[in-house]
Amino acid sequence: SIQTDKGLEPGIDGKQLINFIPQIGKMCKTDVVQLCNVDSTNVYYKHWLLIAKTIEENYQSYDGFVICHGTDTMSYTASALSYLIQDSEKPIVLTGAQKPINLEISDAKTNLLDSFTYACSEGSSGVVLIFNGNVILGTRARKIRTKSFDAFKSIDYPKLAIVKDGHVINYITNLRRETKFFHHLDTKVGLLKLIPGMTDDILEFMLNKYDALVIESFGVGGLPSYEDSRYQEIVEKYTKLGKIIVMTTQVPNEGSDIAVYQVGHYLKQYPNVLEAYDMTTEAVVTKLMWILANNKKIEDV
């Protein structure tokens, strides 16, 4: 982005980004493809599929890929690419910055240089997000700070590696298998965040609209049973119609366990009600999109 009188807007292309960091040219030969130049708030499944398609078309020509992305939805893109490009033998790195690269104080140069350092490192593979020196598995990354340079965290899973002083220190090595590409996503997946007192008609509206619904509930998980509320009745009705519900939690760490309290335990009786356990919301949403688009039977979901 660049600063304008209307706030930060996309304005620097990929080649300009590379030119800010001459060290990259000493590490590898780099080609730049400008797929789009949009604020990441405007990035959605159309862009995920475009990125995956472009990587697939060029997969045999390169040893690794670095994707420059805005931070706000980067964890969704990282999760989506993890399902669209599975078991990648080559590194596919997403990175971004909290401050524009043309400012005197910015994390952009460090993050981009770290990403190329990792992409050029022997043994690197899979879809990862790199930020502030941390190498995070694509399905585990979440933005936890809106302004600080240490903006992303690996949720309930160790960092794969760190990049420090131009060196990669690996903690966990991705197993190399045969790379598989997928080309479709079912976009009729919704997300409902509960708040105290939310009326049950919102749940019914969402289940009527989407093929699958992720519910961010309180604590380890459950649905409220207010006076005259129909939450259980609605769940029973729509799961019988083939809708999928995944219970997760609004709490950032340690995941769900709906069997702990009565408000969640009863949901275990419905085969179409699943739970996320320690998966991130971003991973649950994008994984459901991938599963439902690839002709999976409901009982296999």
Side-chain angles (χ1 to χ4, degrees):
S1 291
I2 56 173
Q3 187 69 53
T4 73
D5 57 2
K6 297 179 181 178
L8 290 170
E9 291 183 357
I12 299 176
D13 65 30
K15 290 183 179 179
Q16 289 173 305
L17 285 175
I18 295 294
N19 288 337
F20 275 99
I21 312 172
Q23 301 99 303
I24 291 174
K26 300 175 183 178
M27 298 165 58
C28 60
K29 180 181 180 295
T30 303
D31 292 326
V32 178
V33 177
Q34 186 79 29
L35 294 182
C36 54
N37 201 3
V38 297
D39 190 298
S40 71
T41 296
N42 295 320
V43 172
Y44 61 113
Y45 55 82
K46 181 181 87 171
H47 301 95
W48 305 339
L49 291 166
L50 174 62
I51 295 168
K53 178 174 180 282
T54 304
I55 291 175
E56 182 177 14
E57 290 172 348
N58 294 278
Y59 197 74
Q60 300 307 320
S61 302
Y62 297 91
D63 299 314
F65 302 86
V66 175
I67 301 163
C68 298
H69 197 292
T71 60
D72 288 349
T73 60
M74 186 159 56
S75 54
Y76 276 100
T77 301
S79 287
L81 292 179
S82 299
Y83 298 115
L84 290 169
I85 310 171
Q86 296 184 23
D87 299 319
S88 176
E89 303 166 69
K90 302 177 180 181
I92 299 169
V93 181
L94 291 96
T95 195
Q98 296 284 64
K99 298 289 184 182
I101 199 167
N102 60 349
L103 296 184
E104 185 177 349
I105 299 176
S106 171
D107 55 336
K109 292 179 183 178
T110 299
N111 289 342
L112 196 54
L113 184 58
D114 285 351
S115 296
F116 274 94
T117 300
Y118 183 82
C120 293
S121 176
E122 187 174 351
S124 297
S125 62
V127 178
V128 301
L129 188 153
I130 294 181
F131 216 89
N132 198 44
N134 298 314
V135 182
I136 303 171
L137 192 67
T139 53
R140 291 290 176 170
R142 169 168 284 183
K143 189 176 182 182
I144 60 166
R145 294 183 175 90
T146 58
K147 298 176 182 179
S148 302
F149 288 169
D150 187 18
F152 284 84
K153 181 181 178 182
S154 183
I155 301 297
D156 288 331
Y157 196 78
K159 292 178 284 192
L160 299 182
I162 61 171
V163 184
K164 187 175 182 180
D165 299 328
H167 299 283
V168 177
I169 303 170
N170 287 299
Y171 299 137
I172 300 174
T173 303
N174 280 330
L175 295 176
R176 293 186 177 221
R177 302 185 179 94
E178 184 181 352
T179 306
K180 298 181 289 293
F181 288 90
F182 296 86
H183 308 102
H184 304 287
L185 294 170
D186 182 337
T187 59
K188 295 191 70 177
V189 174
L191 173 64
L192 176 63
K193 182 170 185 169
L194 295 183
I195 61 170
M198 179 180 285
T199 54
D200 52 36
D201 58 323
I202 303 297
L203 177 64
E204 186 157 36
F205 171 82
M206 296 289 282
L207 285 169
N208 188 53
K209 184 174 179 63
Y210 294 103
D211 295 334
L213 181 65
V214 181
I215 300 177
E216 279 195 350
S217 58
F218 313 117
V220 290
L223 287 175
S225 53
Y226 307 127
E227 315 86 68
D228 302 322
S229 67
R230 299 169 48 247
Y231 276 98
Q232 183 171 357
E233 178 187 327
I234 292 167
V235 167
E236 187 164 342
K237 171 185 173 181
Y238 282 91
T239 52
K240 284 181 178 178
L241 292 174
K243 300 298 178 97
I244 298 290
I245 296 173
V246 180
M247 301 297 300
T248 187
T249 174
Q250 299 173 22
V251 182
N253 294 291
E254 299 182 348
S256 65
D257 188 354
I258 62 174
V260 172
Y261 293 97
Q262 186 275 331
V263 290
H265 191 278
Y266 77 90
L267 294 169
K268 287 287 196 180
Q269 67 185 294
Y270 303 111
N272 288 20
V273 177
L274 311 174
E275 64 175 314
Y277 296 106
D278 65 352
M279 292 179 68
T280 66
T281 296
E282 296 90 335
V284 175
V285 168
T286 54
K287 189 172 188 178
L288 277 172
M289 289 181 174
W290 167 71
I291 292 173
L292 295 172
N294 285 283
N295 301 316
K296 302 286 184 180
K297 297 178 182 176
I298 289 176
E299 55 268 28
D300 292 335
V301 172

